[in-house]
Amino acid sequence: MRRYDDLFHPIGSLNRRGFLRGCCIASLAFIASTSCSRKDEPTTGTSQPSTSASPGGKTTLRVGHLPAGCVSHLLLANKRGLFKEAGLNVELTQFNGPGENLQALVGGARDVIHNPWTNTVAAFAKGTDKLRIISGSGKGGIELVSRKGSVKTLDELAKAANKGLKIGTLQLDTLELVVFGHLKKLGVDYSGYKMTFFPSMVGMGEALIQNAVDVCSLAQPYAQSVVAKSGGTYLGDSNGAWGPEASDCVISSTSDFIKKEPNLVADYLAVLRKSAALLNSDYKSAIADLVPVYGSTEDVLSVALKRQVPQPVLDKAGLQSLKNGVGYLADLGYLKKDQTNLLDAVFDGSAQEKALQAA
């Protein structure tokens, strides 16, 4: 498994025009998938090739994900064999970025993905209207971090407006929303700061360590490694920006697959809920299992995964938090103002409800 700090959130290198072009590509991939065989596999990612049915006749659920804190319960379930225990054939594929992950879904190479919700919502808005958010994956853990010697609170951040404070982030990402959301709540905006939009999260972390920026946004568990190395300070997080139950990654699928395999999807969600409960009930043991999977250290991961926790059920508070975030996307110009209610169309809670009823 490649390290989370090498791969996570590279979509931030896109500007607004580049993002819209990427959504169009995803839409074209979805159209193409309607005339292509399901056996097509992604050209990137790390997994063994599979077909949609296992040798035993059971459907293989093909899952895409990123090396991120928001999939801790997914990785733990796989590590401990919980899917096999439940009689499920689940194949995990780690992708190099959320754009590739999404394209694998719309192209028919994956059945469900764990990916930042911003990607699914924006692609849906551009016409890929069979995309669906079916449940949460992880909440919190998108952090607003200051360097050692800079501001230490959100109030200080607000007072530093128009004084040359340097902020780094990535465009069109939950990483941008944690900056924009906090500034908006503080009554300030980008114009009061020296903004730098980085091509990768790792670049931002290094810039913070080298004092090239004063504040930046980072995702767990990379955020904790930077804070520990630099002596930085957590100013706020995604729960404070678009929360209180702020998803980062969600689980996305398509309306066609949900209709075709409702029981399989529900059973998958049930295992994730069980894994999240096991992680919470014996956190130390779970961290020991996950350290080699993440390629991290116990000190970093034990803090990071307390700040970005599993969200196996996307409840009313979670949905409202997503709606808050959608509003920020419109404020930033990524969505039209009349698209702020599209979450009502993109969210399909049927599999989640089925899993809860079977519990």
Side-chain angles (χ1 to χ4, degrees), residues 241-260:
W242 67 89
E245 299 289 323
S247 299
D248 173 31
C249 293
V250 294
I251 303 176
S252 296
S253 187
T254 65
S255 56
D256 289 343
F257 188 78
I258 298 166
K259 182 178 180 179
K260 179 182 177 182

Side-chain angles (χ1 to χ4, degrees), residues 93-121:
T93 299
Q94 178 182 295
F95 286 90
N96 291 350
E100 295 174 0
N101 200 11
L102 179 63
Q103 288 181 28
L105 174 64
V106 299
R110 298 294 96 185
D111 303 312
V112 301
I113 61 170
H114 295 243
N115 217 37
W117 64 266
T118 46
N119 296 75
T120 300
V121 166

